[in-house]
Every structure is written in C-alpha cells, then in structure tokens.
C-alpha cells in the first residue's frame, strides 16, 4: 500500500468510535475505506486522473489535522454571515452567523453528527462505485466536518454566506476531509462565497467534497476563490443535482496551491434546469491545476454555459476537461463550452479537452478551445502610455481572466473578486 | 527638442526609412505628408519604440537623450506620446484605471508625486470638459466597441491627460467623417502650447485645414524630399503625390 493510503488508514483507526458511528454511518464509512484501500490510488492510466500527478503524493503521509489558531485579522475583509474552518475543524470563535434569514439553516457537520439523526445524514452514506473514486471514498470514510446549509421553500437569503477554509502550519503535514451540503428547496435563493485561504506556507492536504441539491426553481450562486498555500495539495469535488427550472451559477478562481484538482459534476434532471459555470485558472510558478467539468443533460430544455479561462506561465501546468453528455430525450438542450488559454512561457503547459456526447436529436451545442499568447499590440499600446512592462502584462492577464466573473450576473460579488485576482497576478512577474 | 539625423530603418528585409532627418522645436507643429508606403507610420512607431523595426543607421535625440535606446514606457515618461492610427481595443481594462495607472507610472518615473483617485478624477473631468467629451467614456473598457471616431477622440483625450512634450499623431484623420475630424482638430488645437511640439502624420491635406502646421514635410521613399510652409500641403493637394515623385533625386528614383 502507498504511504499516502497507509496514513489515511491510520487516520481512520484513530477516529473516536462515537464519531465514526454517529448517524448510523459506521458501516458505510468502513466500506468506503475498504473500497479505497482495495482499489488503491487511481492508476497512471486512469483517464480521469491523467493530468493529476499522484506519484509524489502517493509517497507522502499526512496526520489527521488537529487544528491551529489563526489571527482573526485574516478575516477582516469577510463579513458575516460566515462559517470558518481552520485545518478542517469548525472554529466557532471566528464564525459569525448573524444575518441569516428565517428558514436558513447553517450548521457545521460536526454538530449535525453530534445530534446524530440518521435521516439528517443519509446523504453521507452515498457510495462511490468507480474504482478511480478513491478520494471521494476516503472522504466518505473520514469526513467529520463541513458545512450543512439548508434553505426552506421560497426563502431568499440576500446577504452572501461566506464559507472560509484556512490552512495553517501544524507540527507535521496534515490532512482533512470536508464534506459540504448545500440544499435549496423549491424557489429558494442563496449566494455562497467560499474562501480557501492560507495563514502561512503549509503543505497540507485538503480533500473536500460538496453536494449541491437544487429543488425546482431554486437559484444558487456559488463562488470558490482558491488562494491556498503554494505548497498545499487540494482536491475539491462538487456533485450537483438540479431539478426543473433550477439554476446554478458557479465561479471558481484557481489561484493558489501546489496542486489543485477540481471536479464539477452536474446532473440536470429537471426540465429547463441551467448550469452556468465560469472559471479562471492561474498556473504560474510550478503550480499544477486540473479542472474537470462533467455536465449530464438528462431532461428536456436544459442549458449549460461553461466559460473557462486559463493562464500558464513559468513552469505552471494547467489542464481543462469539459465534458457534456446530452442524453436521449433531452431535446431542446442548449450547451455552450468555451475554454481560452494563454501560454506565457516555453516551459509552461496547457491541456484542453472539450468532449461532447450527444444522444438527442434537437439540441444546440457548441464548443471552442484555444491556446494563445498575450496580444503584443495591446502590450505596446499600454507601454506607450508609460505603463511598465510587467504591470502592462498583469493588466492584460487580469483583463483576460476577469470576463469569467460575468457568469455570476451580480456586479457586487464580481467587483469584490477583482482585487483577489489582482493581488494574485501581482504576486510575481510571470516569466 | 527632437532631432532626427539620417535615420535608416528596416522591417524584415525591407528598408522603410532611408536617411530621414528632421528638427522639431517646442511650440511647433510639423506635418508629415506622403503617399501610402512612404514610411510615415513607421517613423511614428520607431519614435514610440515599437518592436519589429531595426534601426540600421542614424540617431534620434529627444531633449538631449538618445531616444532609440529607451523602452517605450521610458519614452512616454520622458514626454513622447503616440496617437495610434489604429487604437487597440482592450476589453476588461477600464479606461479610467488604465489612464490613472499610465499617468502615475509616468509621474513616478519622473520623481513626481502620484495622484490619488480624487485628484485624478478632478483632472479627467476638467479635460473632458475642454474636449466636450461625455463622462461615460471613463467607465468603458479601453476602446472596446468604440466607433472609429470615438477611438480617435479617446486618443486625444489620453494626450490631454498625459500632457506630453511631443505628440505624434499617426493618421488621426483616417476614417473620420467631417464632424469627427473637426472635433479631433479642436482637441489638438486646444492643446497647442509654447512648450509642446506636434508631429502630425497624414495622407490628406484636409486635416491641415483645421490644424494649421508651421512646417509641412513631404516624405517619399523613406526620406523627406520637400519641406515648406502650409502652402506646400495645398500644392500637393492640387498636383498629387506624382508631382513629388518627379522631384526625387536620380539615385533613389
């Protein structure tokens, strides 16, 4: 067995028995672990893991995170309501849930498990059948924290809910497995803004799994701004299920970490459900980013609009996979996929793979993927006005990435994200 | 202020400027006219520092500095401004942010105090008023989706804000209807001053009805073949550029 899996098996053994058994999950946890250990890490040939390098990771071991204390000043720019996790543990003193509307429930999974009503945590018992779903299985076995967010019918939560996950150095490299649930009943609306932040230059492992359930007519705006430590390893998987007329607007800013893999699986099961997903990937320095979108159009008149931008410089490496499957009977589907990339150095790498599988007759589907360079004319134009070369480049890179924020259709949130992009681009002049 | 001596420039295999010389003093406005392919725009680009041109001989001195060894942004900070024939569209970059970054970069390079957001806004509002431009220009992305006339007026607006010592206008009249042409000319005239010099590159005499030059140069085959007062532009208008070609020296003809 790899050192990595060995260390996760040890973490499982070390889980306190009441926690492991809470909510009647003892059996599903132990089965998930057994499946993960039996099938092992995704093989080098596993297509879905081809661009996520696991060889070095397999040889590392991580302790269960014990938590750390961080300076509250890190959160000064993040208003309430906010739920804060530090190294995978909910920090109540940093959290502040004022400003939630009536009918909005926000709770840490730790507390939900403590109350242990099996029907409340049935969603945690889901099994992952595929052999390459090792990390989802590990999450199913080990996750004891996360955010449980539930909105009653027609509840409109206007102030964005912030979910903050901070990584901070511990005595040894640590791992945590967060499990989130965002569930919106009929006609409910919510904006969730996730922040994956670094308190310092730690090298932890974060394996997060997020379930999104949108009932008919529900609208979820979901932003994830990933500015994790440049030594950290992040895996983030979202599984979303949309009923009729539900709308999921999602933006991911992949700006940090040493290795960050993001998987978004969305199943459009009700008529006229829509997923609009935009993302900006910044693979500078030696960062490896791997994004995989898999849209499954099951019902009629469903829509997806995927607009992703990538920027690779220095020894950065970014991979994008945009998979769209339109099932038989999903007539009237409108699927749009665009992935544009800038390759800014000879040693950087961009892989892009749009894959459309269409089994219905009357559909509109289009995809486009490009890899190019910064516009030399625009660069000269900016410089000719006195703007320094590096700054002019940063301006153009920002302009290139910024367009993905439009998918939110919320200028307030979009504008709050611009400084995040700016500061990450200014981090160092990209070669 | 500007002293160009015997400038030879190649772009790839082609020699575009073949011994161009010109002196420009503060407060003066020189027009450079010439047929297509004479090297008019090349000269503008070489002065602003665009890549892709090789200077094979000659010197360009600007206020005692060797302009050809400077980066484009250093030339801008020294006071050189090029109004582009084809202003570049930059979606995603806000006009105000762009101009403030540019102005402050220049001020910093010159050791001057940078302007804060309020001071800058006051300055641009004042300039908008002088040029009769609408404030919505500030909120748009740089040239993105602008009409031809709007792009050229945005160039003149940038010039007004950056207050260069030497402004080079590269075929600023091309593609403009008569109203837009007058608006651009008014903007240029408003900025003429004893400290500022202009090089106005144009194909047609029409612009010079509204921007009256001190000196007109005729550029043909990479060098200046004739210089004179404003009346030279009128002669060109009536005789055409063929008239100049006949006057080329035998070796280059």
């Amino acid at each position: 067995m790899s050192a990595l899996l060995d260390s996760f098996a040890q973490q499982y053994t070390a889980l306190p028995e009441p926690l492991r058994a809470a909510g009647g999950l003892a059996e599903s946890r132990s089965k998930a672990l057994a499946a993960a250990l039996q099938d092992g890490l995704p093989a080098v040939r596993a297509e879905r893991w081809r661009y996520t390098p696991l060889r070095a990771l397999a040889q590392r071991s991580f302790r269960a995170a014990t938590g750390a204390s961080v300076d509250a000043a890190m959160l000064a720019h993040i208003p309430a309501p906010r739920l804060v996790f530090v190294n995978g543990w909910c920090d109540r003193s940093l959290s502040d849930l004022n400003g939630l509307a009536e009918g909005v429930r926000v709770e840490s999974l730790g507390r939900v498990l403590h109350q242990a009503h099996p029907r409340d945590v049935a969603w945690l018992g889901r099994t992952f059948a595929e052999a390459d779903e090792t990390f989802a299985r590990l999450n199913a076995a080990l996750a004891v924290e996360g955010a449980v967010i539930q909105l009653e019918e027609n509840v409109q939560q206007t102030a964005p809910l912030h979910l903050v996950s901070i990584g901070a150095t511990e005595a040894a490299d640590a791992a945590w497995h967060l499990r989130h649930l965002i569930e919106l009943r009929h006609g409910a609306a919510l904006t969730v803004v996730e922040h994956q932040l670094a308190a310092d230059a730690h090298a932890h492992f974060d394996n997060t799994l997020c379930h999104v359930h949108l009932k008919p007519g529900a609208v979820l705006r979901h932003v994830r701004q990933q500015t994790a430590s440049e030594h950290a390893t992040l895996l983030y998987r979202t599984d979303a299920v949309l009923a009729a007329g539900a709308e999921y607007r999602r933006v991911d800013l992949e700006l940090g970490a040493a290795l960050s893999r993001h998987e978004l699986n969305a199943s459009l099961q009700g008529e006229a459900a829509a997923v609009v997903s935009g993302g900006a990937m910044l693979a500078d320095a030696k960062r490896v980013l791997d994004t995989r979108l898999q849209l499954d159009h099951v019902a009629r008149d469903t829509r997806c609009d995927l607009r992703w931008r990538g920027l690779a410089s220095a020894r950065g490496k970014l991979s994008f996979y945009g998979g769209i499957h339109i099932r038989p009977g999903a007539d009237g589907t409108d699927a749009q996929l665009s992935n544009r990339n800038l390759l800014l150095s000879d040693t950087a790498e961009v892989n892009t793979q749009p894959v459309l599988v269409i089994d219905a007759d009357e559909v509109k589907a289009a995809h486009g993927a490009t890899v190019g360079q910064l516009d030399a004319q625009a660069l000269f134009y900016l410089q000719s006005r006195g703007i320094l070369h590096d700054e002019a480049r940063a301006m153009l890179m920002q302009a290139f990435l910024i367009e993905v924020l439009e998918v939110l259709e919320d200028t307030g949130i979009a504008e709050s994200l611009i400084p995040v992009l700016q500061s990450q681009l200014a981090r160092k002049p990209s070669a | 202020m500007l002293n160009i001596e015997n400038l030879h420039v190649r772009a790839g295999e082609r020699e575009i400027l073949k011994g161009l010389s010109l002196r420009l003093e503060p407060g003066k406005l020189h027009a450079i006219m010439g047929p297509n392919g004479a090297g008019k725009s090349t000269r503008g680009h070489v002065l602003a520092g665009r890549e892709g041109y090789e200077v094979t001989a000659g010197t360009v001195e600007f206020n005692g500095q060797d302009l050809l060894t400077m980066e484009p942004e250093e030339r801008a900070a020294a006071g050189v401004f090029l109004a582009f024939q084809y202003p570049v569209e930059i979606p995603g970059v806000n006009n105000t942010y762009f101009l403030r970054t540019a102005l402050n970069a220049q001020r910093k390079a010159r050791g001057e105090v940078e302007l804060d957001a309020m001071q800058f806004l006051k300055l641009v509002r004042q300039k908008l008023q002088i040029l009769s431009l609408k404030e919505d220009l500030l909120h748009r992305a740089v040239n993105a989706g602008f009409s031809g006339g709007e792009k050229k007026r945005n160039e003149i607006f940038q010039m007004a804000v950056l207050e260069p010592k030497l402004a080079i206008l590269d075929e600023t009249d091309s593609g403009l209807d008569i109203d837009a042409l007058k608006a651009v000319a008014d903007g240029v005239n408003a900025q003429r001053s004893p400290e500022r010099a202009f090089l106005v590159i144009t194909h047609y005499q029409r612009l010079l009805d509204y921007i009256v030059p001190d000196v007109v140069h005729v550029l043909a085959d990479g060098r200046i073949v004739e210089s004179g007062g404003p009346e030279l532009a009128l002669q060109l208008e009536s005789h055409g550029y063929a008239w100049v070609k006949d006057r080329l020296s035998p070796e280059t003809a």
Side-chain angles (χ1 to χ4, degrees), chain A residues 60 198 201-206 228-234 256-260:
Chain A
R60 295 178 61 193
H202 65 80
H204 297 323
F205 182 101
D206 173 343
S229 157
E230 60 182 295
H231 306 295
T233 302
L234 268 72
L259 165 64
S260 176

Side-chain angles (χ1 to χ4, degrees), chain B residues 161-199:
Chain B
V161 171
L162 297 172
E163 300 182 325
K165 295 193 177 90
L166 167 66
I168 304 157
L169 276 54
D170 186 8
E171 307 219 11
T172 298
D173 51 338
S174 67
L176 294 187
D177 63 27
I178 195 70
D179 291 337
L181 183 74
K182 280 183 185 165
V184 162
D186 287 348
V188 171
N189 288 328
Q191 293 175 61
R192 290 181 75 167
S193 83
E195 295 81 38
R196 184 168 298 142
F198 285 87
L199 261 186

Side-chain angles (χ1 to χ4, degrees), chain A residues 37-90:
Chain A
L37 298 183
Q38 190 193 328
D39 287 330
L41 293 172
V44 180
R45 290 186 311 277
E47 187 57 33
R48 293 194 290 189
W49 289 83
R50 199 170 146 197
Y51 295 105
T52 306
L54 294 174
R55 191 191 293 258
L57 190 65
Q59 289 162 27
R60 295 178 61 193
S61 50
F62 296 90
R63 299 200 321 197
T66 53
S69 65
V70 299
D71 188 350
M74 269 194 80
L75 298 162
H77 64 293
I78 304 174
R82 68 182 190 213
L83 190 61
V84 180
F85 299 88
V86 179
N87 290 0
W89 294 104
C90 184

Side-chain angles (χ1 to χ4, degrees), chain A residues 323-345:
Chain A
I324 297 172
H325 184 192
I326 304 176
R327 302 225 175 212
D331 294 306
T333 289
D334 183 354
Q336 307 289 329
L337 164 64
S338 139
N339 175 230
R340 290 176 54 195
N341 300 285
L342 294 179
L343 186 59
L344 299 179
S345 87

Side-chain angles (χ1 to χ4, degrees), chain A residues 377-391:
Chain A
Q377 287 192 45
L379 194 61
F380 174 63
Y381 190 78
L382 295 176
Q383 286 180 268
S384 79
R385 298 299 181 250
I387 299 172
L388 299 177
H389 179 261
D390 286 350
E391 194 171 359

Side-chain angles (χ1 to χ4, degrees), chain A residues 375 377-378 380-389 391 395-396 398-399 402-403 422, chain B residues 49-50 72-73 76 81-82 84 90-93 97-98 101-102 105-106 143 155 158:
Chain A
D375 181 351
Q377 287 192 45
F380 174 63
Y381 190 78
L382 295 176
Q383 286 180 268
S384 79
R385 298 299 181 250
I387 299 172
L388 299 177
H389 179 261
E391 194 171 359
M395 278 174 96
L396 292 179
Q398 183 191 322
I402 221 164
E403 284 184 57
Q422 248 166 4
Chain B
R50 183 170 197 148
E73 57 266 37
F81 178 90
L82 172 67
F84 284 58
I90 313 182
V93 176
Y97 173 65
F98 153 65
T101 307
Q106 291 196 18
N143 296 323
E155 295 291 287
Q158 291 172 31

Side-chain angles (χ1 to χ4, degrees), chain B residues 109-127:
Chain B
R110 294 193 291 259
E112 298 165 12
V113 181
E114 295 179 43
L115 298 187
D116 66 27
M118 289 308 293
Q119 292 168 316
F120 180 75
L121 202 60
K122 200 176 151 193
L123 173 74
V124 293
R125 288 218 168 106
Q126 187 194 337
K127 300 293 185 185

